[in-house]
Amino acid sequence: MKKIKNIKVAIVMGSQSDFKTMQLSVKILKKMRIKYETKIISAHRTPKRMYEFAITAAKNNIGVIIAGAGGSAHLPGMLSALTSIPVLGVPIESKKLKGLDSLLSIAQMPKGIPVGTLAIGDDGAINAALLASAIIANYDPMVKKKLNNWRLSQTKSIKKNPK
Ligand code: RP5
């Protein structure tokens, strides 16, 4: 097991165009004070980059991978095939099919190689980072505290009555 202090979350995405969504994952990890890195890695446009990233991820202290991809979104599944580090997939909202293509590509992994699939788009990017935080929180009490505080303030922000 790597030193807890050095564990990072990798936020990877198939294209620069995905960053608009995936920057919401960054925002959450910053709030949780979790170390992270961001990379553009495309399974089809930069397959060698994807392979190198995946096979070196464990030795680079990556504890969770968040992978955003759109369309025929094979990046999360391919990464999960190359490393046993947990992979959380964020289906990017595509123009033509509104992300349903991305969602089904990521969620419908055949048994044996799992990808934890989140919701399409912004909600998915936020929840992926919250889930990554919950995984890291199992080994880091400070993160657990931050995550619980974040949830508490969300609860408090919900008004009892609509206006
Ligand atoms: C996927 O193709 C990316 O994840 C992105 O969501 C989609 C479109 O990419 P661009 O054509 O905008 O670069 O690989």
Side-chain angles (χ1 to χ4, degrees), residues 104-122:
L104 296 179
S105 303
I106 296 174
Q108 287 299 106
M109 284 294 288
K111 65 180 173 295
I113 300 295
V115 173
T117 309
L118 286 303
I120 296 169
D122 294 358

Side-chain angles (χ1 to χ4, degrees), residues 20-162:
K20 194 171 161 284
T21 304
M22 298 313 294
Q23 66 184 353
L24 297 170
S25 295
V26 172
K27 226 172 141 181
I28 294 285
L29 293 184
K30 275 187 178 162
K31 278 199 176 116
M32 301 298 160
R33 300 269 168 93
I34 293 173
K35 293 196 179 89
Y36 68 91
E37 62 180 37
T38 53
K39 287 186 190 307
I40 298 172
I41 296 176
S42 166
H44 52 276
R45 291 172 178 154
T46 65
K48 285 185 183 156
R49 196 187 297 176
M50 178 194 67
Y51 180 80
E52 278 307 314
F53 166 78
I55 63 162
T56 56
K59 96 167 187 300
N60 288 331
N61 292 330
I62 290 165
V64 183
I65 298 170
I66 298 175
S72 176
H74 31 251
L75 178 65
M78 287 299 295
L79 290 174
S80 188
L82 289 163
T83 175
S84 57
I85 294 167
V87 177
L88 306 179
V90 179
I92 300 292
E93 187 172 336
S94 55
K95 285 196 191 101
K96 297 210 171 69
L97 297 175
K98 302 278 177 218
L100 192 57
D101 44 356
S102 324
L103 174 67
L104 296 179
S105 303
I106 296 174
Q108 287 299 106
M109 284 294 288
K111 65 180 173 295
I113 300 295
V115 173
T117 309
L118 286 303
I120 296 169
D122 294 358
D123 286 4
I126 291 167
N127 276 346
L130 289 171
L131 193 49
S133 304
I135 295 168
I136 303 282
N138 279 328
Y139 313 100
D140 186 333
M142 287 311 288
V143 173
K144 187 157 224 117
K145 204 170 162 197
K146 288 206 173 299
L147 181 59
N148 287 339
N149 286 342
W150 188 93
R151 291 172 66 125
L152 190 64
S153 76
Q154 173 175 250
T155 299
K156 282 183 181 160
S157 76
I158 309 299
K159 302 259 184 304
K160 283 196 176 141
N161 301 106

